[in-house]
Amino acid sequence: MLNPAYLRLSSVLQTLVEMPAYELAKLNCVFQEITLNTGEFLVRAGEIPSRIAFVVSGILRLYYVNSAGSEFTKSFCPENHFVTAYGALILQQPANFFIEAIEDSFLLVIDYRQYLQLCAGNSCWQEINHKLVEALYLKKEKREAELLLDDATTRYKKFLQEYPNLDQRVKQYHIASYLGISPVSLSRIRKNLQPN
């Protein structure tokens, strides 16, 4: 019998593909429970990542830091999402961004080698992998288009649609960083969008 965290993971996986019961039964053997307190890292820039995580509760922020020490938010990863430094993981190279808990977070993690063994063992995992990579690519393409084509107000509205209620849980300067604007500009946009 799967506990609530694994049941949630099972439910999310089954929205991607129909999985045999014997594959679902493996979840509590191959995924391990970990907690990250606010400010702790799943991955640090410069480390070679070795795990894929599923967020049961909390929020992770993916961000770059340039040579001057400025942070640039790449994305947020709230509940029911998978997260890793994917390019660094598959190439087994050092990550060039950080993955940090910005709320106390509870995760289920799987070692990448075990994940590859699952994919080699049953086609349902290969299909899950395909769908996750496809979703990641589409998200990346959408994000690039928004940064290049949309004005800041439109980007903020799309942020609110993509991440419902996250604006109440995430620091405003993190949101501003994600949108590519200053916190002052974000405050102005938020004020202009408030009903009179």
Side-chain angles (χ1 to χ4, degrees):
M1 183 68 179
L2 297 174
N3 75 26
Y6 291 93
L7 282 172
R8 184 181 299 187
L9 172 59
S10 168
S11 175
V12 169
L13 290 173
Q14 288 183 94
T15 64
L16 300 173
V17 62
E18 190 172 331
M19 296 184 70
Y22 60 85
E23 290 297 327
L24 292 173
K26 294 177 182 177
L27 295 181
N28 57 5
C29 299
V30 295
F31 281 85
Q32 306 302 314
E33 300 177 6
I34 67 165
T35 56
L36 292 178
N37 294 322
T38 302
E40 291 185 327
F41 293 88
L42 179 67
V43 176
R44 291 177 183 269
E47 293 178 349
I48 298 175
S50 61
R51 302 178 294 181
I52 299 170
F54 174 77
V55 182
V56 178
S57 65
I59 307 171
L60 304 184
R61 179 173 75 109
L62 290 68
Y63 67 94
Y64 298 95
V65 178
N66 69 11
S67 58
S70 299
E71 295 181 2
F72 300 91
T73 300
K74 170 180 166 61
S75 65
F76 300 98
C77 189
E79 292 87 357
N80 300 330
H81 287 78
F82 292 90
V83 62
T84 187
Y86 192 71
L89 182 74
I90 61 173
L91 296 172
Q92 284 298 281
Q93 294 178 351
N96 59 2
F97 59 85
F98 295 84
I99 304 178
E100 178 188 14
I102 55 174
E103 281 184 356
D104 290 348
S105 300
F106 178 57
L107 314 175
L108 296 176
V109 298
I110 183 170
D111 181 84
Y112 185 53
R113 288 167 299 184
Q114 284 187 296
Y115 178 71
L116 291 177
Q117 287 173 0
L118 286 176
C119 290
N122 190 295
S123 62
C124 70
W125 289 100
Q126 294 168 22
E127 191 172 346
I128 286 168
N129 190 61
H130 174 77
K131 289 190 174 181
L132 291 175
V133 171
E134 196 174 65
L136 189 66
Y137 175 81
L138 293 172
K139 182 177 180 179
K140 179 178 171 59
E141 189 175 83
K142 177 177 173 285
R143 173 103 165 107
E144 288 172 354
E146 288 171 359
L147 287 171
L148 292 170
L149 302 175
D150 293 341
D151 61 50
T153 300
T154 302
R155 290 200 300 275
Y156 180 62
K157 288 177 179 177
K158 288 182 177 179
F159 164 81
L160 295 176
Q161 290 173 347
E162 183 174 355
Y163 297 108
N165 303 317
L166 215 62
D167 63 316
Q168 305 301 315
R169 298 169 62 188
V170 174
K171 292 177 179 172
Q172 294 305 299
Y173 69 87
H174 287 161
I175 297 173
S177 168
Y178 173 77
L179 298 173
I181 60 177
S182 70
V184 173
S185 296
L186 177 57
S187 294
R188 192 179 304 119
I189 290 168
R190 286 165 58 91
K191 185 177 180 182
N192 289 340
L193 290 176
Q194 287 177 354
N196 293 327

